Amino acid sequence: MSRPERGHISGNDALLVLETIETCLAADSDQDLYETVIPCIQKLFSFDYASLTLGTWQAAQRKWSPQALYSLNLPGSFWESYQKSNWIADPVVAESLRGRPHQHWSMTAGQTILDTGETRAPPLHPSAALLMDYGIYSGYTSAVAPAGPGESCSMITFCTGRDRGLDPRTRDILSHLTPHLHQALLRNQNNGKAPDILLSNRESEVLNWLKLGKSSWDISMVLGISERTVNFHVYNLMRKLGAINRPQAVAIAVSRGLIGLD
């Protein structure tokens, strides 16, 4: 994979992001997540607590079916109380289940939906009081929407005992990491097994340019084909890979060994 687009990420950050993505690709057990993936993320930004949750969401029934939960420094008593707090109605969780990819939340600054920049008042929900009871005051929650009906989605949260404001650097890091963390969770849930995917030569070419962050217009110029044809190949790629967007398609392809990291 090419180095992540800089934005607020330094050159050293980019190398650490790639190292963390590689640990996600190699993770095939719970032990790997705890002993390699999470420590790598801790090199990138500071957090005191984490939860990586995989499950399915039935919106019509408002039913969450859990599949896996990985938790750092959050005791069983916290999760027992959290389950009783009508957590699905928590404003941050509710936005995640609506498909919002990244949010920052703070008990004083409020809730910021990062893809739109919309900021809301601090959440008035029992789960907020519970978080503060356990010394948790701010954090980031990222979500990966399901690839299709009945497919798994994930909610990934990193939080701290300090009330910190939004850090654009952390936001950019999470935007690169989240699709790969989701793939690691899926792979662990499926015991490392995944169905074979066959791509045409042209689809592989398009996928490699997507990996470099190129737009459909850019790819059409490089390959000498129309932008409409590029979009047709991108649609087929996402359908074959079970992805809902281009970054997720790249993450799945790297996870499956269809394209390399460099």
Side-chain angles (χ1 to χ4, degrees):
M1 178 178 286
S2 65
R3 295 188 178 187
E5 292 295 324
R6 286 294 178 84
H8 297 89
I9 298 177
S10 70
N12 186 58
D13 289 337
L15 292 175
L16 287 174
V17 168
L18 289 174
E19 177 187 342
T20 306
I21 290 172
E22 288 177 339
T23 66
C24 289
L25 295 174
D28 58 10
S29 69
D30 295 355
Q31 183 178 2
D32 287 341
L33 281 170
Y34 284 114
E35 295 186 1
T36 62
V37 175
I38 290 177
C40 264
I41 300 172
Q42 288 177 314
K43 295 178 185 177
L44 284 163
F45 60 93
S46 175
F47 55 91
D48 303 308
Y49 310 91
S51 69
L52 290 74
T53 308
L54 187 73
T56 56
W57 170 242
Q58 295 172 283
Q61 295 79 23
R62 294 188 56 78
K63 179 183 178 183
W64 172 265
S65 300
Q67 295 174 320
L69 169 65
Y70 302 90
S71 176
L72 178 70
N73 296 335
L74 292 167
S77 59
F78 169 84
W79 292 110
E80 289 174 10
S81 299
Y82 189 66
Q83 292 292 331
K84 296 175 183 177
S85 70
N86 189 26
W87 62 276
I88 287 176
D90 180 318
V92 174
V93 172
E95 289 296 340
S96 294
L97 293 173
R98 291 188 187 104
R100 299 293 194 187
H102 305 287
Q103 297 173 74
H104 173 265
W105 47 268
S106 159
M107 295 308 166
T108 58
Q111 172 192 8
T112 302
I113 300 171
L114 300 183
D115 58 327
T116 65
E118 180 183 355
T119 298
R120 301 175 180 178
L124 298 176
H125 187 270
S127 61
L130 177 64
L131 289 169
M132 288 190 288
D133 286 344
Y134 279 82
I136 301 169
Y137 288 89
S138 63
Y140 296 84
T141 296
S142 298
V144 177
E151 296 293 322
S152 299
C153 58
S154 62
M155 284 186 284
I156 298 166
T157 295
F158 300 98
C159 44
T160 178
R162 285 144 290 192
D163 202 350
R164 293 175 174 165
L166 171 63
D167 176 16
R169 173 182 170 276
T170 302
R171 175 198 63 199
D172 291 353
I173 288 170
L174 288 173
S175 70
H176 290 293
L177 283 185
T178 301
H180 297 280
L181 285 170
H182 177 66
Q183 289 303 307
L185 295 176
L186 281 175
R187 190 165 53 255
N188 282 8
Q189 179 64 22
N190 296 325
N191 297 317
K193 298 177 181 178
D196 292 335
I197 298 173
L198 297 178
L199 302 180
S200 69
N201 289 336
R202 182 65 86 187
E203 287 168 347
S204 295
E205 285 182 308
V206 170
L207 186 57
N208 273 292
W209 286 113
L210 290 177
K211 179 184 68 174
L212 297 174
K214 301 300 182 182
S215 68
S216 293
W217 184 86
D218 293 332
I219 298 171
S220 71
M221 293 296 99
V222 172
L223 298 181
I225 57 180
S226 71
E227 188 173 355
R228 181 176 180 179
T229 300
V230 173
N231 288 331
F232 171 77
H233 290 307
V234 171
Y235 170 80
N236 281 337
L237 282 168
M238 291 196 295
R239 177 180 56 81
K240 287 183 178 182
L241 294 168
I244 63 167
N245 54 41
R246 297 179 182 210
Q248 188 177 0
V250 171
I252 293 170
V254 172
S255 177
R256 303 285 178 86
L258 297 172
I259 54 176
L261 269 176
D262 49 14

